[in-house]
Amino acid sequence: MSQIGNKKLSQKFLLVGFFVLVTLSSGPAMFSNVAHAATGTSTLTVNTQAANGTMITGLFVTLEDPTTLAVISWGFSPVSFTLQQGQNYLVVPSDYNNIIFDNWSDSGSNIREKSIAITSDALITAIYRDQSAIGPSSVTVKSSDDLGISLPGFYTILQQNGTTIKDGFTPQSFGVNNNQQYQTGVEDYGNYTFSHWGDNVTDRLHSITTGTGTTTNLSAIYKTVSTLHTNQIKFGLVAKDPLNNETKTQQQLVANSRYWIYGGDAPARNAPYDFFKNILGLNIGVQATSDGAWAGIYAASPRETATLFHSVVTTPVSTIPNQFYENAMYVQTSQAKINYVTCVAITSSAGTSWAVVYTGGNATQATQFHVLWADTSANQPLTRDCTIITNGNNYLKVYLDHNMVYTNSTLDLQMPGPFNVFLEPQSSYPGKLLNGTFLDYYITAGEDVKVINLPASADTVYLVDSAGNALATAKAGGNTADLDVGAYHFPLAGTIKVYDSNNVLITSSPAIPDIYGGNEYSMNSSTLPQPPTALTASATSLSQIKLSWTTPVDNGGSTITGYEIDRSDDSQNTWSAIVQNTGTTSTSYNDTGLSSTPVYTYRVSAINSIGTSSPSNTATATTQVASPGITVYAHRIPAAYWDPCFAATCSAGTGPDAAMFVTLLDSANNVVQTGFANEDGYTFLGLNSNSTYYVYPADCSSCHGSTHDVIFQYWGDDHSTVRPRAATVGANLHEWYSCTNNCAGGP
């Protein structure tokens, strides 16, 4: 028996908090994770911290009724509860592993259950100690990247004489005895792989000798492992039929056979037979006409060029009164020879047994039978998962229930491909029609997954499932590795991980779905680009911000084709992609249509043929703020010859809906802005609050197509007639006009 072992690769989770599953004993009280507020309530906040003042998050805390001890509310520190003012409660913080409650900071009490009643908002703090750090000497393990940036949360162990005695997550302090020898080690996580210790020791397991009351500080240095883009260049799946995905009668299957062809000698022998599909699978039944009169019926595949053949075979009964019943999957050469390999269930009065059989023959019948493997144990299952792997020449391997029961590479099978697969029961028992059942049929081009274009330093390649189990491993040779996955049910899903000769992870693939034997993958040397750099954001108007950045230092070996631009207007709590892909190599972008209220934060990611980089630095900007302007109002001097106002309506009545032209000048007599004013006013915006401007109200000759003229007369505040009028930001000016030349005839 040989099967790939489930080697557990390093995989731990970064610890961002301690999480505890609490099971309450049964009782009359129910609890909820929400405390309902009522009139006269205050908020109690519970913090947890180490004795040195370091905040600890994620410790489980309950709020309880002091009489019944029923849990009223719960949460993870820091946590806030809503309490009825003046009512007594119990606050109970929990331990986690070696993190043990020590005392309450306000009283120093080491009684865990704290009785409390509050009349206003309050904060209490529980102090914890690290039990693992207790000892006359200590060893502290930290972790960082090669730039010195702290990377907490890597799994670390403390060993003595080859036995792990303590463990934890970095940064971790272990209490140890004086004058002893220890070893400490760390594990990898994700794309971070151990590089060396801070004292340049490269062995992952670092030896330590303590003194008397000594403190040993070690820092594990990690490097980031690139993820290589993985191209699938060959597809191993040849054919697939679940066999239980439809319900069809014999007549329907014959009328629309699609993949399978149905046949056998049962019809010619007038032997009863049937076949149909339902949720149990493809059911094929046959009954002999008399004792010893063998009859068979089958479903046959078309000729297939494949190497691995799989189905689940079920025989219907464990015993029959006499004669024999066989149910099997056969892999047979499509040439004019009855040469085949089968995994078969053989049922008789003695019971059911399973065997692997090779049969040779001529064009009309089998002439020799070779039992290559047989299970002679009692009470064998009626269902077996069967995988046959063969080249039809010298090589044969068979798995039952994913355990290899036979392998040989020196055979003389004489069954060249392409092959036909037969799902077939045969019976010499006349007592009853017995249905064999078949499920989960698939055939593939091989039993190996080939990986090519490996890095030059590659030594060992693993296929690892999502739980970190090594499904297959192979040595790299010539930048290629063949991973034997024939023992497994297809399709698989996993990640290809590549290690060097020092067992250091040097690269890995993304997660790969739908892995079949015969698949071939190329580890692309191109990678994701580095992020863009030097992102800046600057307002260019009241509603527009301009972004600029620098192209990535490293494009990952593949040309940058565009950029993704993300924006946040809630202090980076959430991000939205305002441009998924600019589709251009331009390193600037104008974000338009913005409002003046939010603070906008941006980040940019580069895109190449492999994918999208991690984001750049962030840049923040707000749109330009409109400063208070200069507002000009135009009025009509009341007279009987015209309407009371320019505007369509005003407090004095209605007007012709007209306006007067106004020019705003700077100190050099340059035109800054122009506009039209009436009684509702016109405001010049975007002005410099430190500058002096000049307002010039224009006369209107033959005004608005009429025969009369509308003439500026004076300013409303001082009746000055001087034009232009000096003004600064914030001014409100009122112009007054009169009318000449037949004013009663128009506006």
Side-chain angles (χ1 to χ4, degrees):
M1 303 284 286
S2 174
Q3 188 178 16
I4 297 171
N6 288 328
K7 177 183 176 183
K8 185 77 172 178
L9 294 182
S10 301
Q11 184 178 15
K12 296 292 173 183
F13 295 95
L14 293 173
L15 189 66
V16 296
F18 302 102
F19 299 95
V20 180
L21 177 65
V22 176
T23 302
L24 296 179
S25 59
S26 60
M30 300 295 289
F31 70 93
S32 165
N33 64 344
V34 178
H36 296 277
T39 304
T41 61
S42 295
T43 299
L44 174 68
T45 300
V46 183
N47 286 343
T48 52
Q49 69 180 41
N52 62 4
T54 301
M55 181 69 70
I56 302 174
T57 61
L59 292 179
F60 189 72
V61 182
T62 60
L63 182 72
E64 300 179 4
D65 185 303
T67 302
T68 66
L69 302 184
V71 175
I72 300 169
S73 187
W74 56 267
F76 297 95
S77 63
V79 60
S80 294
F81 300 114
T82 301
L83 276 60
Q84 294 287 342
Q85 293 178 354
Q87 184 172 322
N88 287 323
Y89 295 88
L90 283 181
V91 178
V92 185
S94 297
D95 299 334
Y96 180 81
N97 287 349
N98 293 318
I99 308 302
I100 307 299
F101 170 80
D102 189 82
N103 65 83
W104 291 99
S105 64
D106 56 348
S107 64
S109 171
N110 58 10
I111 298 175
R112 183 188 303 271
E113 296 79 5
K114 184 178 183 66
S115 178
I116 191 168
I118 61 175
T119 56
S120 61
D121 292 349
L123 169 69
I124 57 175
T125 301
I127 307 300
Y128 281 76
R129 66 181 185 276
D130 186 351
Q131 192 72 26
S132 67
I134 297 175
S137 292
S138 66
V139 175
T140 298
V141 182
K142 298 180 180 180
S143 51
S144 67
D145 65 12
D146 50 8
L147 298 178
I149 299 173
S150 177
L151 296 173
F154 284 85
Y155 184 66
T156 181
I157 60 172
L158 182 73
Q159 290 187 345
Q160 190 171 41
N161 300 321
T163 300
T164 299
I165 57 176
K166 294 182 180 181
D167 64 354
F169 296 89
T170 60
Q172 177 67 51
S173 292
F174 298 115
V176 293
N177 293 321
N178 293 331
N179 305 310
Q180 297 285 317
Q181 289 187 338
Y182 298 92
Q183 300 82 38
T184 188
V186 290
E187 290 197 357
D188 301 334
Y189 177 76
N191 283 338
Y192 287 100
T193 186
F194 171 78
S195 175
H196 60 278
W197 293 96
D199 56 3
N200 294 319
V201 172
T202 58
D203 191 334
R204 187 184 294 266
L205 205 59
H206 196 298
S207 296
I208 305 156
T209 301
T210 61
T212 302
T214 57
T215 298
T216 303
N217 294 304
L218 295 174
S219 182
I221 311 300
Y222 284 82
K223 65 180 181 180
T224 304
V225 177
S226 63
T227 298
L228 291 184
H229 182 65
T230 306
N231 293 322
Q232 184 173 351
I233 58 177
K234 288 186 180 179
F235 294 82
L237 180 63
V238 176
K240 181 178 182 179
D241 186 348
L243 299 175
N244 66 344
N245 60 334
E246 58 186 354
T247 299
K248 285 192 174 181
T249 64
Q250 177 186 146
Q251 291 74 22
Q252 290 171 322
L253 290 174
V254 171
N256 185 16
S257 59
R258 291 186 291 185
Y259 184 81
W260 299 100
I261 301 298
Y262 301 93
D265 61 4
R269 295 176 182 272
N270 293 317
Y273 69 91
D274 195 10
F275 49 88
F276 55 92
K277 276 187 173 181
N278 59 20
I279 60 173
L280 299 178
L282 174 58
N283 301 267
I284 305 176
V286 67
Q287 178 181 351
T289 57
S290 60
D291 285 348
W294 283 95
I297 193 75
Y298 59 72
S301 76
R303 295 181 178 185
E304 299 282 22
T305 301
T307 301
L308 183 146
F309 308 85
H310 173 272
S311 70
V312 176
V313 181
T314 298
T315 200
V317 292
S318 57
T319 62
I320 54 178
N322 56 26
Q323 294 300 313
F324 296 91
Y325 174 83
E326 297 176 357
N327 196 35
M329 177 179 74
Y330 301 82
V331 178
Q332 181 172 316
T333 179
S334 59
Q335 294 189 0
K337 292 182 179 180
I338 303 181
N339 288 9
Y340 60 78
V341 174
T342 180
C343 57
V344 57
I346 305 168
T347 302
S348 68
S349 60
T352 294
S353 62
W354 291 81
V356 175
V357 179
Y358 164 69
T359 299
N362 53 39
T364 59
Q365 63 181 348
T367 58
Q368 51 181 308
F369 299 88
H370 303 277
V371 178
L372 305 179
W373 172 89
D375 187 347
T376 60
S377 63
N379 301 317
Q380 294 183 35
L382 299 183
T383 299
R384 302 295 291 263
D385 187 298
C386 175
T387 302
I388 296 173
I389 304 167
T390 185
N391 61 6
N393 181 21
N394 65 310
Y395 179 70
L396 175 66
K397 184 186 290 184
V398 181
Y399 292 92
L400 283 180
D401 302 326
H402 306 294
N403 295 306
M404 190 174 67
V405 298
Y406 181 82
T407 183
N408 196 323
S409 60
T410 61
L411 298 170
D412 183 20
L413 296 172
Q414 299 183 37
M415 42 179 290
F419 303 98
N420 295 111
V421 178
F422 292 85
L423 307 178
E424 179 179 6
Q426 298 184 56
S427 181
S428 64
Y429 171 58
K432 184 179 182 181
L433 187 146
L434 298 173
N435 285 311
T437 307
F438 302 88
L439 273 173
D440 195 20
Y441 167 82
Y442 58 78
I443 58 177
T444 71
E447 62 180 315
D448 294 339
V449 169
K450 181 181 287 293
V451 186
I452 66 173
N453 292 333
L454 292 168
S457 58
D459 177 76
T460 308
V461 180
Y462 290 91
L463 177 63
V464 182
D465 67 15
S466 59
N469 298 310
L471 302 177
T473 181
K475 284 290 185 180
N479 297 333
T480 300
D482 294 307
L483 297 161
D484 183 355
V485 293
Y488 296 98
H489 181 271
F490 298 151
L492 297 168
T495 301
I496 297 170
K497 292 185 176 290
V498 183
Y499 290 78
D500 65 14
S501 57
N502 295 317
N503 201 33
V504 174
L505 180 66
I506 55 176
T507 191
S508 65
S509 74
I512 304 173
D514 298 325
I515 300 173
Y516 289 89
N519 283 10
E520 185 171 324
Y521 300 93
S522 174
M523 302 290 281
N524 195 323
S525 58
S526 296
T527 62
L528 293 175
Q530 292 294 309
T533 58
L535 175 64
T536 61
S538 58
T540 55
S541 75
L542 300 178
S543 61
Q544 179 171 296
I545 292 174
K546 181 177 182 179
L547 306 178
S548 298
W549 61 90
T550 303
T551 56
V553 175
D554 183 355
N555 65 6
S558 178
T559 302
I560 301 298
T561 57
Y563 294 90
E564 178 183 320
I565 302 173
D566 301 332
R567 182 179 69 201
S568 173
D569 58 7
D570 59 0
S571 301
Q572 305 181 50
N573 290 319
T574 60
W575 291 90
S576 60
I578 58 174
V579 182
Q580 293 282 357
N581 187 342
T582 62
T584 176
T585 58
S586 172
T587 56
S588 65
Y589 177 78
N590 289 311
D591 189 16
T592 59
L594 304 175
S595 64
S596 59
T597 303
V599 176
Y600 294 103
T601 304
Y602 298 88
R603 65 187 186 188
V604 178
S605 302
I607 301 171
N608 67 5
S609 62
I610 307 305
T612 303
S613 75
S614 54
S616 67
N617 63 291
T618 59
T620 299
T622 56
T623 56
Q624 292 179 350
V625 178
S627 60
I630 296 174
T631 301
V632 180
Y633 300 87
H635 306 273
R636 292 184 173 193
I637 297 173
Y641 51 74
W642 61 355
D643 297 323
C645 58
F646 289 108
T649 59
C650 60
S651 60
T654 59
D657 193 17
M660 302 304 295
F661 186 70
V662 186
T663 301
L664 184 71
L665 307 169
D666 64 14
S667 59
N669 210 35
N670 297 310
V671 175
V672 177
Q673 295 181 39
T674 60
F676 289 88
N678 60 19
E679 286 80 3
D680 295 325
Y682 178 85
T683 302
F684 295 106
L685 297 173
L687 306 180
N688 188 333
S689 59
N690 296 319
S691 297
T692 299
Y693 298 91
Y694 297 87
V695 179
Y696 189 92
D699 294 335
C700 183
S701 299
S702 300
C703 199
H704 301 295
S706 69
T707 59
H708 55 265
D709 302 327
V710 178
I711 307 298
F712 171 78
Q713 295 296 329
Y714 55 81
W715 296 101
D717 57 345
D718 59 3
H719 281 229
S720 168
T721 60
V722 176
R723 291 185 291 182
R725 169 75 176 267
T728 57
V729 169
N732 294 293
L733 303 179
H734 293 264
E735 311 164 343
W736 288 89
Y737 289 85
S738 65
C739 180
T740 63
N741 302 333
N742 193 26
C743 293

